[in-house]
Amino acid sequence: MKNVTKITVFFIFMITTFLFLNFYKYYDDIKLPGYNKAIVIENWDKKHNKEEINKLLVKLSSQNNISMIRVNENYDDNGNTKFLAQYN
């Protein structure tokens, strides 16, 4: 009977750990809590350089009187570090 209890506790622990890690990953992927709209750039053909894109974001932000926040994940440490830039 003790083996059944140990196995049950082990599986409950594993399921709880799995659920917690998935929730943490989901929460981390949200990027910025409180922001529900986003533009995601998945591929960049590099026809325009970073300065042009930054100028465009500043221009759009000031024309529409909105605040934009750019999030860059550091790819050297698998996205554990995030760089934030705010455009007003």
Side-chain angles (χ1 to χ4, degrees), residues 2-88:
K2 287 187 175 188
N3 286 338
V4 173
T5 305
K6 288 180 182 178
I7 292 172
T8 305
V9 169
F10 174 75
F11 279 116
I12 290 173
F13 174 75
M14 293 301 291
I15 291 170
T16 305
T17 303
F18 176 75
L19 292 174
F20 175 74
L21 291 176
N22 279 338
F23 173 76
Y24 181 75
K25 182 182 180 317
Y26 170 76
Y27 187 75
D28 192 43
D29 285 344
I30 292 174
K31 308 288 187 230
L32 297 172
Y35 284 83
N36 55 3
K37 296 181 182 174
I39 298 172
V40 179
I41 300 171
E42 294 182 355
N43 194 0
W44 182 25
D45 61 3
K46 301 199 181 193
K47 289 182 181 177
H48 303 283
N49 62 21
K50 289 180 186 179
E51 290 179 21
E52 292 176 15
I53 294 171
N54 284 333
K55 287 179 184 178
L56 176 65
L57 290 173
V58 169
K59 180 181 173 184
L60 290 173
S61 177
S62 62
Q63 282 179 348
N64 296 310
N65 196 23
I66 58 173
S67 178
M68 290 187 197
I69 297 176
R70 184 185 73 189
V71 178
N72 287 4
E73 293 182 356
N74 186 353
Y75 297 103
D76 294 338
D77 61 354
N78 295 327
N80 293 328
T81 304
K82 293 184 173 77
F83 170 74
L84 302 177
Q86 183 172 6
Y87 303 103
N88 282 33

